[in-house]
Amino acid sequence: MEGSDEFMKYRSPLVSRYASKEMAYNFSDRKKFTTWRKLWIYLAKAEKALGLPISEAQVVEMEGHAEDIDFAMAADEERKLRHDVMAHVHTFAHCCPAAAPIIHLGATSCYVGDNTDLIMLRDGFDILLPKLARVLDRLANFAEKYADLPTLGYTHYQPAQLTTVGKRACLWLQDLAMDMRNLQRARDDLRFRGVKGTTGTQASFLQLFQGDHDKVEDLDRMVTEMAGFKKSYLVTGQTYSRKVDIDSLSSLASLGATIHKICTDIRLLANLKEIEEPFEKEQIGSSAMPYKRNPMRAERCCSLARHLMALLSNPMQTASVQWLERTLDDSANRRISLPESFLTADIILSTLQNVTEGLVVYPKVIERHIRHELPFMATENIIMAMVKAGENRQDCHEKIRVLSQQAAAVVKQEGGDNDLLTRVQADPYFSPILSHLDTILDPKTFIGRAPQQVARFLSEEVRPMLEPYKTKMDVKIELEL
């Protein structure tokens, strides 16, 4: 059957089901190996500029074949040589016969391997940051819209004092803002490995330039700048320190923890029917229960966020076992853990953007839940009002305590509604405050400074953070799956 071969082998769902095209391309073979060729061109250009016998024709020939990679030839070469870099050196040399003698001149495998990884990490962060900014923007709009809508707060997942829907969203936003700073810092801290040689001493390049240290340093600087980096690591072993991978993936794992918490909250609120994620007209929630509207996007985020957090153990362990100048047991692990971390972060950010663009709030359900709990929460306010009316606090406290216990028994033992207010209204003792009982029980008097906190937090911390990304805010996410 035509095209059936792709269904005869495992395909990572990260790419086949979920990831964006730009992130999938960022870690693709084409991106990787064209970057290798660009790095060989940068090296040849810099070596030529610094006086090595490399002709303009050789550089032009390499530039003319930077993109046309014969992947089949490279695979054949790797089967013979058991070395991926030399396989691609030979493949590049085949289409650049004049330049063949100077391709990879003085370099080690990590010149292309590690520097390409650093480019992919940098470009990966550049893909993620605008997506995170859009999630912050959508949630900020949501928080602003519902800044003063009272809702039950929960501690221990038990009803507590009221907050607002917008204030709760600001708790999510605060964590995401921390992630924004973490990702930006990790991205900005990345340096280039540069031109360092087999054990990081630059010995081969010092030999090429006949002991001229200044030219070796110029070579390192020139290639670093051509690759779009401001700095290179001043010292490396054969590889750049694998602590760099820890730093990068730590920021992503931390983002995973944030998104897992947010999406768990959304799932809990969906169970209460207070908030729902977007639901398509023809979407099926359950094959057996047609009435169900399951929070499948939030569940997907939680599922993938766990994977993202778990991936962090890979660079931690890899960095810890890099003996002396390097060992090759980092390689196979990094081929998996680095791309998968960025692919997973990309997926959960796109999914969360879709969720936050269409979150549905049900104020009447929220109001009903408040009405069910508010009488108990209002007892202190009732006592204070009675004291202002001239009653004794201790007497009032005892009256409220007895009535509260009776109302609680109705709720817990009989399954009835909370009738505390009815009991208060029926007791002549409370007659001094009955005329303004509705004011005492207005939910908006229980939310403290939540609306003001939302306004200040958004204006001082969130909106300024989004300013650099304002031209990238209009992208909407439509999930294919």
Side-chain angles (χ1 to χ4, degrees):
M1 189 173 78
E2 185 179 350
S4 62
D5 283 355
E6 68 174 298
F7 300 108
M8 299 297 288
K9 57 187 178 182
Y10 175 77
R11 299 179 300 160
S12 169
L14 293 177
V15 174
S16 65
R17 286 180 69 89
Y18 303 128
S20 66
K21 290 180 180 178
E22 62 266 30
M23 190 62 85
Y25 176 75
N26 188 53
F27 291 97
S28 67
D29 281 352
R30 177 159 293 281
K31 166 80 177 274
K32 176 179 179 179
F33 296 126
T34 55
T35 302
W36 283 13
R37 290 194 174 186
K38 288 174 185 175
L39 288 167
W40 283 321
I41 293 167
Y42 299 156
L43 182 63
K45 281 184 170 181
E47 287 175 336
K48 174 180 179 294
L50 292 168
L52 292 188
I54 295 172
S55 69
E56 183 64 23
Q58 288 174 312
V59 172
V60 169
E61 184 182 52
M62 292 169 72
E63 289 178 325
H65 294 280
E67 302 285 341
D68 58 337
I69 299 173
D70 187 334
F71 287 99
M73 177 184 289
D76 287 340
E77 289 289 337
E78 187 170 355
R79 275 191 289 272
K80 287 188 291 185
L81 302 173
R82 299 294 177 185
H83 198 289
D84 57 348
V85 173
M86 288 310 300
H88 278 269
V89 169
H90 287 197
T91 303
F92 198 16
H94 180 79
C95 57
C96 299
I102 56 94
I103 293 173
H104 198 65
L105 182 60
T108 187
S109 298
C110 287
Y111 167 69
V112 288
D114 270 33
N115 282 325
T116 294
D117 287 343
L118 289 162
I119 289 170
M120 287 177 165
L121 295 181
R122 178 197 65 192
D123 293 352
F125 279 123
D126 287 344
I127 293 169
L128 293 178
L129 283 163
K131 294 191 175 192
L132 179 51
R134 287 196 291 272
V135 171
L136 281 156
D137 175 71
R138 286 12 173 211
L139 261 183
N141 295 339
F142 178 86
E144 191 170 46
K145 181 177 180 180
Y146 296 104
D148 59 356
L149 178 62
T151 188
L152 280 176
Y154 288 88
T155 58
H156 313 273
Y157 200 44
Q158 303 299 314
Q161 286 295 324
L162 300 192
T163 182
T164 69
V165 172
K167 170 62 190 298
R168 177 178 285 142
C170 284
L171 300 181
W172 302 337
L173 278 163
Q174 180 166 249
D175 289 353
L176 288 168
M178 291 176 65
D179 293 314
M180 189 78 174
R181 289 189 289 270
N182 288 341
L183 264 66
Q184 189 66 61
R185 181 204 52 75
R187 187 253 186 249
D188 292 345
D189 281 354
L190 286 174
R191 299 188 190 186
F192 206 48
R193 177 190 175 276
V195 182
K196 297 296 193 297
T198 54
T199 57
T201 66
Q202 299 177 304
S204 58
F205 297 103
L206 191 62
Q207 186 175 0
L208 280 175
F209 289 108
Q210 299 179 333
D212 190 328
H213 290 269
D214 290 341
K215 285 191 174 182
V216 174
E217 292 210 357
D218 286 343
L219 178 71
D220 201 356
R221 177 185 53 77
M222 290 168 69
V223 171
T224 296
E225 290 175 357
M226 286 184 209
F229 284 80
K230 294 178 181 177
K231 292 181 179 180
S232 67
Y233 297 106
L234 295 180
V235 293
T236 70
Q238 187 171 90
T239 67
Y240 68 80
S241 170
R242 296 316 184 209
K243 286 277 286 184
V244 174
D245 295 343
I246 295 176
D247 201 31
S248 296
L249 269 58
S250 289
S251 67
L252 302 184
S254 183
L255 172 67
T258 296
I259 292 179
H260 197 294
K261 184 265 191 294
I262 293 170
C263 289
T264 299
D265 284 355
I266 291 171
R267 292 163 65 190
L268 292 169
L269 294 168
N271 172 261
L272 298 174
K273 296 181 174 58
E274 293 188 357
I275 285 180
E276 282 184 347
E277 65 179 36
F279 201 86
E280 311 302 334
K281 283 185 179 179
E282 297 181 10
Q283 183 176 328
I284 296 174
S286 168
S287 60
M289 294 164 280
Y291 59 87
K292 292 193 77 179
R293 293 182 59 157
N294 298 330
M296 51 81 71
R297 292 171 176 83
E299 290 174 305
R300 177 188 299 173
C301 284
C302 288
S303 182
L304 290 170
R306 287 200 302 274
H307 180 57
L308 181 55
M309 290 185 280
L311 284 168
L312 179 57
S313 66
N314 289 280
M316 298 275 279
Q317 294 185 56
T318 295
S320 72
V321 297
Q322 286 301 285
W323 304 344
L324 307 173
E325 277 64 51
R326 79 87 54 103
T327 51
L328 193 59
D329 61 341
D330 63 340
S331 178
N333 186 291
R334 295 174 70 253
R335 288 176 192 263
I336 299 168
S337 58
L338 296 187
E340 286 202 355
S341 292
F342 279 83
L343 287 163
T344 306
D346 175 73
I347 296 160
I348 60 178
L349 281 174
S350 294
T351 307
L352 186 58
Q353 181 184 333
N354 176 264
V355 170
T356 54
E357 284 175 346
L359 272 178
V360 181
V361 177
Y362 294 106
K364 293 297 183 183
V365 177
I366 293 172
E367 184 182 335
R368 186 174 75 241
H369 291 157
I370 290 174
R371 283 201 311 268
H372 188 71
E373 299 291 341
L374 191 61
F376 291 142
M377 296 180 190
T379 54
E380 183 64 24
N381 289 30
I382 292 172
I383 292 171
M384 298 293 284
M386 288 293 290
V387 171
K388 284 183 182 178
E391 299 297 328
N392 179 281
R393 184 193 182 281
Q394 278 63 41
D395 293 343
C396 186
H397 184 279
E398 180 58 20
K399 285 274 189 182
I400 285 287
R401 187 191 69 80
V402 172
L403 295 181
S404 295
Q405 297 283 4
Q406 293 168 352
V410 171
V411 172
K412 295 178 180 179
Q413 296 172 22
E414 300 175 19
D417 290 334
N418 188 334
D419 64 356
L420 176 59
L421 295 183
T422 303
R423 293 174 185 275
V424 168
Q425 289 167 332
D427 191 325
Y429 176 78
F430 294 99
S431 58
I433 65 165
L434 293 184
S435 62
H436 50 277
L437 195 58
D438 286 345
T439 303
I440 295 172
L441 293 168
D442 181 356
K444 292 201 172 183
T445 66
F446 290 81
I447 60 176
R449 298 191 63 255
Q452 291 75 21
Q453 289 178 349
V454 170
R456 183 179 179 190
F457 175 65
L458 295 181
S459 65
E460 291 186 17
E461 293 201 25
V462 178
R463 298 298 186 195
M465 179 179 282
L466 302 182
E467 192 63 25
Y469 301 96
K470 61 183 179 182
T471 60
K472 300 180 179 180
M473 284 297 168
D474 292 338
V475 179
K476 292 199 67 161
I477 296 294
E478 299 291 341
L479 297 181
E480 293 184 13
L481 285 174

